[in-house]
Structure formats: C-alpha cells, structure tokens
C-alpha cells in the first residue's frame, strides 16, 4: 500500500484547506486555504513530492487577495483562478495579481462558487446571487450569461469542463441534478456568437438514483 503525504494538518495549523486543484500541465497541487477567524486566505502550490514551492496571498501592494477561497482552477496560460468569497481572483502562475472580477455591472454583487476554464481560455463561474453561470474572457472581461436560472438547472453550484468532448458539467444546488451543456463545437469554436445559449438537442441532464 502506498503511503499518504499530509500537506496541511489542521490540528497543528491555523489554516483550513478549502479547495484543491491538480495541474495537468505541471503535476503540482494547488490548495486554497483560509483562516476563518481572520477572514483571510491564501493559495499554496505543492510539487509532486508534496513540498510547498510557492504561496500566493498578497498583491504587489501587500494587500491580501483572498478572504475565503471556495473553488480553484488553472487556465491554459497557467493563471491561477480562484472563486473567493465575493470575487473571482486571478493571478499569474508566479503569483502576480492580474485582476479581480466582482460581478457584471448591471447585476447584484457577485457570490461565486463553482469555477472552471474551457478550451478557449474563457473563465466560467457560478453566481449564487443571479443564479447564473457567467462567462469571462481570460483577462476578466464579462462576455455573457452562459446559463440562467431555470427549473431544469436550479441554482448552478459546481462546474467541470471536459476538454475531450467540449461538454460543460453543471451541478445544481437543492434539486440533486447534474446538467450537461455544450456551447463549443468539436472544431473548438463557440456554437453561437450572440448569447451562447445551447440548442435543445445539445442539452441533457440526469438525476442520480
């Protein structure tokens, strides 16, 4: 039996792990953590041997970037993309702060949860406030509402993008459903350039028994 490597032991640390992501490009493990009593967070990168190699916590002005990391992923250019308490925070691979997205200006304050990126380097994030999945470009500019609240979707809560089939898996809160969505064709282009709304024959869902 292979031995386990303990990266963070909550019994001996004030930091609480909240989210993890394994990078297929580097083999590193990214761990989002927070100190709940202080409402502060950080992201630590661990190499394949389990050793910490880098921690992202502050921007260039020494201001803290995170409050409570919920979900974490990586974009195609190596950017570290974090769904934080009330914003999407993006840094470069080395930790330099690139931008913070706090929501579309015409909507209420962002309450992000599930997050992922796609083959075109878009950032997709679930927003609890608007009950939508929002699409941003790699530089944090809002592009569209990819999914909106419907009886089928419920409240979008978690996301996973399949790079092989170009399908987006969306987990919903409360209704116990996972919806499968396609908005990029097999040639790697958006199926529709205006609203990015799926055609009926490209959308399916299942409800676990």
């Amino acid at each position: 039996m292979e031995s386990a490597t303990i990266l963070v032991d909550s019994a001996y640390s004030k930091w609480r792990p909240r989210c993890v992501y394994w990078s297929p490009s580097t083999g590193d493990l990214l761990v989002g953590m927070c100190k709940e009593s202080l409402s502060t967070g950080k992201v630590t990168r661990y190499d394949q041997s389990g050793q910490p190699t880098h921690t992202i916590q502050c921007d260039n002005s020494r201001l803290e970037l995170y409050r409570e990391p919920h979900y974490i992923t990586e974009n195609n250019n190596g950017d570290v993309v974090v769904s934080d308490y009330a914003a999407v925070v993006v840094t470069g691979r080395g930790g330099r702060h690139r931008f913070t997205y706090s929501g579309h200006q015409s909507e209420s304050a962002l309450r992000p949860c599930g997050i992922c990126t796609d083959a075109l380097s878009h950032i997709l994030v679930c927003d609890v406030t608007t009950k939508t999945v929002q699409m941003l470009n790699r530089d944090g500019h809002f592009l569209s509402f990819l999914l909106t609240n419907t009886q089928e979707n419920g409240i979008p809560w978690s996301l996973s993008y399949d790079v092989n089939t170009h399908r987006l898996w969306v987990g919903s809160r409360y209704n116990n459903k996972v919806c499968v969505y396609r908005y990029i064709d097999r040639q790697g282009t958006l199926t529709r350039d205006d609203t990015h709304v799926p055609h009926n024959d490209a959308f399916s869902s299942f409800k676990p028994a």
Side-chain angles (χ1 to χ4, degrees):
M1 178 182 295
E2 295 184 2
S3 61
T5 299
I6 298 177
L7 302 180
V8 181
D9 191 341
S10 297
Y12 301 98
S13 173
K14 295 181 180 180
W15 291 99
R16 301 292 184 264
R18 295 297 303 270
C19 51
V20 297
Y21 176 79
W22 176 77
S23 171
S25 62
T26 65
D28 294 341
L29 190 69
L30 300 172
V31 182
M33 299 177 249
C34 71
K35 285 183 179 179
E36 295 180 356
S37 59
L38 299 178
S39 296
T40 184
K42 68 178 181 179
V43 173
T44 298
R45 180 183 295 271
Y46 296 86
D47 62 21
Q48 297 183 45
S49 64
Q51 296 300 310
T53 60
H54 187 69
T55 293
I56 306 171
Q57 189 170 356
C58 299
D59 63 13
N60 295 335
S61 301
R62 305 306 299 169
L63 298 176
E64 294 186 348
L65 291 171
Y66 311 108
R67 178 175 173 181
E68 189 178 333
H70 294 311
Y71 293 83
I72 185 170
T73 189
E74 195 176 55
N75 215 338
N76 298 324
N77 62 349
D79 282 353
V80 178
V81 183
V82 175
S83 170
D84 198 47
Y85 177 78
V88 173
V89 181
V90 177
T91 63
R93 179 176 292 172
R96 183 177 180 275
H97 181 224
R98 292 200 61 232
F99 63 85
T100 295
Y101 172 78
S102 300
H104 189 45
Q105 60 182 3
S106 64
E107 299 297 329
S108 303
L110 189 73
R111 284 284 307 280
C113 46
I115 198 165
C116 69
T117 61
D118 65 21
L120 302 179
S121 297
H122 295 130
I123 299 170
L124 311 176
V125 59
C126 296
D127 178 28
V128 175
T129 301
T130 58
K131 302 176 183 178
T132 62
V133 174
Q134 299 183 24
M135 177 188 285
L136 317 177
N137 70 8
R138 64 189 294 175
D139 296 316
H141 300 295
F142 175 84
L143 297 179
S144 71
F145 292 106
L146 191 63
L147 290 177
T148 56
N149 183 37
T150 66
Q151 184 176 1
E152 183 73 21
N153 294 334
I155 300 177
W157 194 260
S158 57
L159 296 174
S160 180
Y161 179 80
D162 188 331
V163 296
N164 297 314
T165 63
H166 297 302
R167 287 188 173 95
L168 179 68
W169 296 73
V170 183
S172 301
R173 193 177 188 184
Y174 301 127
N175 67 3
N176 200 33
K177 286 187 177 181
V178 174
C179 298
V180 184
Y181 177 94
R182 178 180 291 165
Y183 62 97
I184 296 178
D185 62 27
R186 295 185 183 279
Q187 284 71 46
T189 58
L190 294 171
T191 54
R192 293 180 63 176
D193 293 330
D194 48 356
T195 60
H196 309 303
V197 175
H199 298 290
N200 290 334
D201 59 358
F203 186 87
S204 63
S205 67
F206 65 88
K207 187 173 182 179

